[in-house]
Amino acid sequence: MKKLGQELFALQTLLEEFDKCVDNQRARLNDLKELEESFQKDLEDVGHMKDNVPAHMPKREAPTQGGESVMKQSETLQQEHVKKSSRSFIREMDFITVSEFDSIPQYMRGRVSYEQLNAAVQSINTSVTAKYKILHQSVKSLNNHSRKLQQRFKEQESKDTRGHFFVVEDDFREFTQVKMDKRFQGILSMLRHCQRLKELRGGGLTRYLLL
């Protein structure tokens, strides 16, 4: 009975992980549908503009001194908006497709299922999102614990990580319930095989960079 209970509990855990994967895929599908509708509308607008180009386009007047000032101010605001957006952007790892999972050698997969692999991807995304939300916040808005985390995150960066999103083992422990055991190390190897991440070692740390 005890063994049966353990197996039922394991099955329930797998089902919960599968439900999370399904929800994530459903959300992605909705986003793609919205993107398709937006693209279709833009395509129709471009077609309308192409079909209704006036025979004579009005000449652009040279901007006055005041107009130049307004244009420069507008350009500055646009640049600041782009910089702010880039700072707040957090990249996430794409889920593994069925074909990608099937391409992983059997010796590397072992007993890890498709659902378990994508559950690990979700855990990595959780760690990345939590980490970079703290990094993107001002020091004044953070509590003492988050300030220490932010300082640690910055100290772990190097010239080789510039422009990349990455996590280390401590981030998994901080933000998820993932156990850094041999099974999870095997999952990381599978994700490297699928070109979702790469390892960067240095300074006594292993950094997992998202590709």
Side-chain angles (χ1 to χ4, degrees), residues 13-28:
T13 302
L14 289 176
L15 288 174
E16 291 176 354
E17 293 174 349
F18 180 74
D19 287 340
K20 291 180 181 179
C21 291
V22 171
D23 290 339
N24 289 328
Q25 294 297 334
R26 185 179 292 111
R28 285 173 177 267

Side-chain angles (χ1 to χ4, degrees), residues 18 44 52 54-55 67 83 89 95 108-109 125 133 140 155 187 189 196-197 207:
F18 180 74
E44 292 174 357
N52 295 276
K83 290 180 180 179
F89 170 75
F95 287 98
M108 187 179 294
R109 274 189 286 173
N125 287 339
K133 278 185 178 180
K140 294 181 180 179
E155 291 173 353
I187 287 176
S189 297
R196 288 296 192 275
L197 56 79
R207 299 165 178 84

Side-chain angles (χ1 to χ4, degrees), residues 54-92:
H56 302 283
M57 297 291 290
K59 294 184 178 180
R60 183 178 180 181
E61 298 181 358
T64 61
Q65 185 174 1
E68 290 179 352
S69 176
V70 171
M71 289 177 63
K72 289 180 180 179
Q73 184 178 4
S74 177
E75 290 176 356
T76 301
L77 291 173
Q78 289 178 357
Q79 291 174 358
E80 291 178 352
H81 176 71
V82 170
K83 290 180 180 179
K84 184 177 180 181
S85 298
S86 63
R87 285 197 300 267
S88 61
F89 170 75
I90 300 176
R91 182 179 178 183
E92 291 189 345

Side-chain angles (χ1 to χ4, degrees), residues 191-206:
L191 294 175
R192 288 199 302 272
H193 175 82
C194 294
Q195 298 183 349
R196 288 296 192 275
L197 56 79
K198 71 174 182 178
E199 291 185 5
L200 181 65
R201 299 177 185 271
L205 282 175
T206 301

Side-chain angles (χ1 to χ4, degrees), residues 98-200:
V98 174
S99 59
E100 286 177 315
F101 181 76
D102 291 339
S103 71
I104 300 173
Q106 183 60 48
Y107 77 88
M108 187 179 294
R109 274 189 286 173
R111 296 184 178 180
V112 176
S113 67
Y114 174 76
E115 291 76 16
Q116 290 171 327
L117 181 58
N118 274 326
V121 171
Q122 182 61 52
S123 296
I124 292 173
N125 287 339
T126 298
S127 299
V128 172
T129 301
K131 171 183 177 178
Y132 283 90
K133 278 185 178 180
I134 293 176
L135 270 173
H136 291 162
Q137 293 184 54
S138 64
V139 177
K140 294 181 180 179
S141 65
L142 300 173
N143 56 35
N144 290 334
H145 179 65
S146 295
R147 287 180 184 177
K148 292 179 181 178
L149 288 176
Q150 188 184 74
Q151 183 61 33
R152 188 187 79 191
F153 298 154
K154 291 180 178 180
E155 291 173 353
Q156 292 171 349
E157 293 176 347
S158 68
K159 62 179 182 179
D160 296 319
T161 63
R162 190 172 301 164
H164 294 279
F165 290 87
F166 73 94
V167 288
V168 299
E169 290 187 5
D170 284 341
D171 299 330
F172 293 125
R173 298 187 183 98
E174 180 72 32
F175 301 117
T176 70
Q177 302 297 320
V178 169
K179 294 181 180 179
M180 299 302 298
D181 52 15
K182 291 183 179 180
R183 177 178 173 277
F184 191 72
Q185 292 297 334
I187 287 176
L188 293 176
S189 297
M190 294 165 66
L191 294 175
R192 288 199 302 272
H193 175 82
C194 294
Q195 298 183 349
R196 288 296 192 275
L197 56 79
K198 71 174 182 178
E199 291 185 5
L200 181 65

